[in-house]
Amino acid sequence: MLEVLRRIVQEVNGARSLDAALATMVLRIRKAMKTDVCSVYLLAPETDRFVLKDTIGLRSSSVGQVSMARGEGLVGMVALREEPLNLEDAPAHPQFRYFEETGEERFSSFLGVPIIHQRRVLGVLVIQQHEKRRFDEGEEAFLVTLGAQLAGVLAHALATGALGKLAGTSGQATFKGVAGSPGVVIGKAFVLSPPADLDSVPDLIPTDIDFEIARLKEAINAVREEIRVAAERLASRISTQEHALFEVYQQMLGDAALGQEVEKRIREGQWAPAALADIVRRHVQYLERVDDDYLRERAADIRDLGRRVLAHLQEEGDSGPIEYPENTILIGHEISPATLGEVPRERLKGLVAVSGSSTSHVAILARAMGIPTVLGMVDLPLSRLGGAPVILDGHRGRLVVRPEHELSVHYSRLIAEEQALSVLLEQEQDLPSVTPDGHVMPLMVNTGLALDAVASLKTRVGGVGLYRTEVPFMMNDRFPSEQEQARLYREQLAGFAPLPVTMRTLDIGGDKDLPYFPIKEANPFLGWRGIRVTLDHPEVLMVQLRAMLRAAEGLDNLRIMLPMVSGIEEVDAALALVNRALIELAEDGVNVSRPSVGVMIEVPAALYQLEALATRVDFFSVGSNDLTQYLLAVDRNNPRVASLYDACHPAVLRALARLAEESKALGMPVSVCGELAGDPAGALLLLGMGFDGLSMNAPSLPRVRAAIRRVSLAAAQGLVSEVLCQPTANQVHGLLLERMQAWELAHLLPPRDHTPRSRQRSGPPASPQATGWRHWPPPGARRP
């Protein structure tokens, strides 16, 4: 039966439309289980009723006509209870509901199982027979297994099938992906088609090998020039580290890489286009199989380069410049950095890709450029999207195609409010981060991923709370030398001097891999990462520590932070290396004061070793993202469980409150550098808990500053007391929203989900000015 199960799922998965998937499903299941009837009922969200969508055995005229509410009839009962129902004599059951149009009075036995995807009942799968008998345990188990297997396939087919109505001029459909870069934008879909198809190149024996090699080199040089131009176009908008991505492309196209292999294949007896296609496919297939996120992303890069070279070989590269519409939302199966650089920046408003993740090159560039981006949108039928009006919500990883008027108005209002709010917030960004009752809460910035405007940031922050040193390692094809690292670190330290700059030692593993130092593990987040890697490779850590200390000479604003600490032995070993680096540099004539050294509190084990840690280090910094992930046992990059990841979970908040209290008792400075610190409501909670500083990405600074300048320390402490009494994350969020509305600060929060006007809760007024933003702080609040 396992082979039968596999074949059914495979056939349904290969169906070209929702209708075809359903027809295949009922036909194959009926045959496999040798029953008289197989039917599938799907939930219609607009009516919340389960509609008969396809059947073999019942009258075909009843399809689309018969429906049941949750709890109504046997089908509704299966959906309500979310469990199988196996009956010998279905018409005798008190819940049975007869529909004359189906002709099902002829059938006695009934077995129904729910089709559930991510806790949501999508439908009910039913088999029936004339014979009055109860289906045996094996049959029931098989149908339950089949329902579970088909749930994901059906969810995909439902999402794709929902676009069938988009062939006309109306019909809204929503697709979910992975948020890659935040923001909201309304625009027009521009679907990228590959410049050439690597899978449809015919095999030909070359008549002139030298000619084939010459035109290959000409095509490669043309693509290298395209990438050079794209890199120049983006040079002023991205950092030096991110600009190095284009150098990686150039290296891939070099004589010692792709070109050499293709040339060898030509000499073996294949013309240039097919030789190129062979080599590219081989590399892509290998990279797509490896258990490494970074290397899998490189498969997309190689495929893109291959298509570009092939386009020139096929003389399709001179078709003229592409005309991009105003407010372009660029959509494609894959979007490469080179493609991104070809779109005029003033027209590019958003990015959507079927493949890709937060570790992809394009995601890094999109965040640096501030372009809302959604990746991993696997249900997207690209062929039906060209020119369609769309809304891209980068906060929630959502794309709405052909939005209804009410939703467009709602998002237009959100965008206008965001812009108006940004103007208002900008007016006070050089003011101190002080509460109305005089409590100073230092705000610091996280750096390393984007081009940071140091000149403008320096007057607005208390320093750098987290400098991610792994970025230059990720952007290179080898470990950077001590001199290369020292040069980068010096720029950062000098740019913010005399403000402190906290540099985290190399933090790889988990979701951050190096192309030249792959870490292959079944469970990377519980594996070899952070300080565990660098202590196992002291030669790498020593070079980095020496580079940091050398860069700090004469500035003395360096702070070193150790990531992923779970034991005291790790701290002792790292401190010994710091001392050794200081001694070695002194012997070289470089005299540097010993910097403050701290640890990141992100592994739950560290929460129970604070006293011992406090005798060894100078400060604590909470990595709330990983701490939340580990406390809740949730991989936030896994779409199956990502919804369970919540920094406002009561367990997380209680752990943070206890951490702040114990740190204060130990006399240890403690700050937070995770996403919770960059959320205005979260920042107020951390303020009330007693944390000494908050570090966040630069775009979050204005909103957090505004919140702190308008809520007293006493009020924040009262909020913490209330929040810590809430038993669920939903109740915590509800209370936070209620308090933010009462303080007229709800506009600082990310936009909420749109609901029809009749069902909307009372919320903040429609414009920032209407909330009292024009006259900040509100009446009664003391101006700092």
Side-chain angles (χ1 to χ4, degrees):
M1 292 299 277
L2 187 61
E3 179 60 25
V4 174
L5 180 81
R6 186 190 63 79
R7 279 204 311 267
I8 292 174
V9 173
Q10 199 171 41
E11 284 191 48
V12 173
N13 196 29
R16 297 179 63 85
S17 68
L18 176 60
D19 289 342
L22 297 178
T24 301
M25 188 185 300
V26 296
L27 180 66
R28 296 303 180 209
I29 293 173
R30 182 194 186 212
K31 181 179 179 182
M33 300 194 71
K34 298 181 173 61
T35 63
D36 299 316
V37 176
C38 180
S39 306
V40 60
Y41 295 77
L42 295 185
L43 178 66
E46 61 276 7
T47 61
D48 199 34
R49 294 180 68 85
F50 290 86
V51 181
L52 177 62
K53 298 298 290 185
D54 211 327
T55 183
I56 294 283
L58 300 183
R59 292 174 185 157
S60 59
S61 58
S62 62
V63 172
Q65 303 303 311
V66 172
S67 68
M68 279 165 272
R70 210 178 296 262
E72 179 187 2
L74 299 180
V75 169
M77 187 176 174
V78 172
L80 180 65
R81 293 185 176 182
E82 300 183 1
E83 61 184 13
L85 181 62
N86 191 347
L87 300 173
E88 180 181 0
D89 187 2
H93 193 280
Q95 197 72 19
F96 179 79
R97 181 170 175 198
Y98 173 61
F99 291 92
E100 183 179 357
E101 52 265 54
T102 64
E104 63 182 330
E105 69 275 4
R106 300 168 290 155
F107 307 106
S108 297
S109 56
F110 173 98
L111 174 59
V113 301
I115 303 171
I116 301 174
H117 180 69
Q118 295 183 353
R119 300 189 183 185
R120 186 166 60 97
V121 179
L122 301 179
V124 176
L125 194 56
V126 175
I127 58 173
Q128 295 170 270
Q129 275 190 319
H130 289 288
E131 180 186 355
K132 187 180 290 187
R133 75 176 183 93
R134 182 181 173 87
F135 290 96
D136 65 37
E137 290 181 1
E139 291 170 315
E140 182 176 327
F142 179 78
L143 197 62
V144 168
T145 306
L146 197 53
Q149 287 280 316
L150 290 172
V153 177
L154 189 57
H156 174 87
L158 279 167
T160 307
L163 275 190
K165 57 189 175 183
L166 295 186
T169 57
S170 64
Q172 175 179 300
T174 302
F175 297 89
K176 285 282 291 179
V178 177
S181 181
V184 177
V185 66
I186 297 175
K188 183 172 286 189
F190 185 93
V191 179
L192 288 170
S193 22
D197 186 359
L198 291 162
D199 295 321
S200 61
V201 181
D203 290 333
L204 292 176
I205 298 174
T207 55
D208 186 338
I209 288 177
D210 291 337
F211 171 73
E212 293 297 322
I213 292 173
R215 74 189 190 107
L216 169 69
K217 291 181 177 180
E218 185 179 339
I220 289 176
N221 288 336
V223 174
R224 296 188 73 162
E225 177 63 15
E226 289 173 2
I227 291 171
R228 186 192 64 76
V229 171
E232 286 183 356
R233 187 176 294 161
L234 292 176
S236 63
R237 305 189 191 102
I238 60 177
S239 70
T240 304
Q241 296 158 12
E242 288 147 350
H243 199 263
L245 296 175
F246 291 93
E247 183 57 35
V248 173
Y249 262 39
Q250 295 286 8
Q251 290 171 4
M252 288 180 183
L253 289 168
D255 291 336
L258 189 66
Q260 188 177 56
E261 290 190 66
V262 178
E263 182 177 333
K264 180 183 176 184
R265 186 77 182 88
I266 292 172
R267 294 189 185 281
E268 290 172 352
Q270 187 65 277
W271 72 316
L276 173 73
D278 288 346
I279 298 301
V280 169
R281 280 198 302 265
R282 190 180 74 200
H283 280 288
V284 168
Q285 287 168 2
Y286 167 74
L287 290 172
E288 286 180 338
R289 285 196 302 264
V290 300
D291 185 22
D292 182 284
D293 289 341
Y294 185 92
L295 292 179
R296 281 199 299 271
E297 291 294 345
R298 302 297 71 75
D301 294 338
I302 291 176
R303 190 185 293 109
D304 176 70
L305 289 175
R307 287 168 175 165
R308 288 170 178 273
V309 175
L310 181 59
H312 283 278
L313 286 173
Q314 296 175 334
E315 298 182 345
E316 294 173 1
D318 299 322
S319 55
I322 298 174
E323 286 296 323
Y324 294 95
E326 297 286 342
N327 300 321
T328 290
I329 308 294
L330 200 61
I331 301 176
H333 191 274
E334 297 165 342
I335 298 177
S336 68
T339 301
L340 184 59
E342 291 171 355
V343 186
R345 181 63 186 93
E346 66 277 7
R347 291 177 178 261
L348 182 60
K349 301 302 179 186
L351 298 172
V352 179
V354 172
S355 61
S357 69
S358 59
T359 61
S360 65
H361 284 170
V362 74
I364 295 170
L365 289 176
R367 286 192 291 269
M369 297 168 68
I371 301 172
T373 301
V374 179
L375 305 165
M377 199 164 272
V378 296
D379 292 327
L380 213 55
L382 298 177
S383 61
R384 302 180 190 170
L385 296 181
V390 295
I391 297 171
L392 181 64
D393 186 340
H395 296 291
R396 296 179 181 83
R398 183 179 299 165
L399 179 73
V400 183
V401 182
R402 299 195 191 280
E404 294 173 354
H405 177 71
E406 183 186 6
L407 192 66
S408 295
V409 170
H410 171 77
Y411 271 101
S412 296
R413 182 165 56 88
L414 283 180
I415 293 170
E417 288 175 8
E418 294 282 299
Q419 293 171 344
L421 185 56
S422 296
V423 172
L424 288 169
L425 292 176
E426 183 62 28
Q427 297 173 8
E428 59 178 62
Q429 285 316 291
D430 290 316
L431 297 177
S433 176
V434 182
T435 64
D437 52 354
H439 179 80
V440 177
M441 171 55 87
L443 299 185
M444 295 168 286
V445 67
N446 299 337
T447 62
L449 283 179
L451 179 61
D452 304 299
V454 175
S456 63
L457 280 174
K458 188 174 177 180
T459 62
R460 302 179 173 194
V461 297
V464 175
L466 169 63
Y467 175 70
R468 304 177 180 95
T469 62
E470 62 271 8
V471 175
F473 285 80
M474 293 172 71
M475 296 300 113
N476 224 314
D477 58 359
R478 55 173 173 75
F479 285 113
S481 68
E482 182 177 326
Q483 290 73 26
E484 289 171 325
Q485 291 183 59
R487 199 159 46 244
L488 285 170
Y489 302 156
R490 182 74 180 186
E491 287 178 11
Q492 190 80 186
L493 292 165
F496 281 95
L499 300 176
V501 175
T502 305
M503 294 191 167
R504 181 175 66 189
T505 59
L506 182 61
D507 187 15
I508 58 172
D511 58 349
K512 297 186 291 289
D513 289 315
L514 303 180
Y516 48 87
F517 192 72
I519 300 173
K520 300 177 182 179
E521 296 179 304
N523 199 336
F525 284 100
L526 296 181
W528 203 44
R529 59 173 301 202
I531 196 70
R532 301 170 181 178
V533 175
T534 51
L535 286 179
D536 283 353
H537 282 275
E539 75 282 9
V540 174
L541 182 56
M542 276 298 294
V543 168
Q544 184 175 39
L545 291 173
R546 285 172 54 94
M548 288 179 178
L549 294 167
R550 189 184 295 277
E553 186 179 17
L555 297 174
D556 294 331
N557 62 334
L558 169 67
R559 304 196 330 158
I560 296 175
M561 185 160 65
L562 308 174
M564 194 66 184
V565 168
S566 58
I568 302 303
E569 298 85 356
E570 294 166 335
V571 177
D572 289 341
L575 291 175
L577 292 178
V578 172
N579 292 333
R580 185 174 131 200
L582 285 166
I583 293 171
E584 290 178 2
L585 286 174
E587 291 172 351
D588 293 341
V590 180
N591 294 305
V592 186
S593 302
R594 187 184 188 280
S596 296
V597 179
V599 294
M600 291 195 75
I601 307 295
E602 49 190 345
V603 179
L607 293 172
Y608 301 96
Q609 301 175 85
L610 297 180
E611 188 173 352
L613 289 170
T615 64
R616 290 163 166 80
V617 299
D618 304 297
F619 64 91
F620 297 152
S621 181
V622 181
S624 63
N625 299 349
D626 270 329
L627 183 60
T628 300
Q629 177 170 246
Y630 290 131
L631 281 172
L632 301 181
V634 171
D635 176 2
R636 58 195 176 124
N637 291 327
N638 182 343
R640 293 178 185 270
V641 295
S643 62
L644 300 176
Y645 175 90
D646 193 334
C648 286
H649 189 286
V652 176
L653 295 180
R654 288 168 192 164
L656 289 172
R658 179 180 172 184
L659 169 60
E661 183 181 351
E662 289 192 29
S663 299
K664 184 176 182 180
L666 292 168
M668 282 294 290
V670 59
S671 61
V672 179
C673 63
E675 291 174 8
L676 187 62
D679 174 75
L684 292 177
L685 282 176
L686 298 172
L687 165 69
M689 289 177 184
F691 285 93
D692 300 303
L694 305 175
S695 189
M696 64 207 71
N697 293 327
S700 300
L701 286 166
R703 292 168 188 264
V704 171
R705 188 189 313 275
I708 288 173
R709 287 176 55 81
R710 282 156 186 81
V711 177
S712 67
L713 176 61
Q717 290 169 337
L719 175 64
V720 171
S721 298
E722 289 185 88
V723 160
L724 293 182
C725 294
Q726 305 305 311
T728 70
N730 283 339
Q731 287 170 288
V732 170
H733 287 294
L735 180 60
L736 290 177
L737 177 60
E738 186 179 308
R739 291 293 174 270
M740 294 295 279
Q741 289 174 339
W743 290 329
E744 297 186 340
L745 298 176
H747 276 292
L748 296 178
L749 301 176
R752 284 182 290 155
D753 264 342
H754 175 65
T755 54
R757 194 173 303 278
S758 60
R759 298 204 305 268
Q760 279 184 339
R761 291 179 54 184
S762 58
S767 69
Q769 289 79 5
T771 65
W773 296 90
R774 185 180 296 164
H775 304 293
W776 280 348
R782 187 175 69 81
R783 290 180 181 273

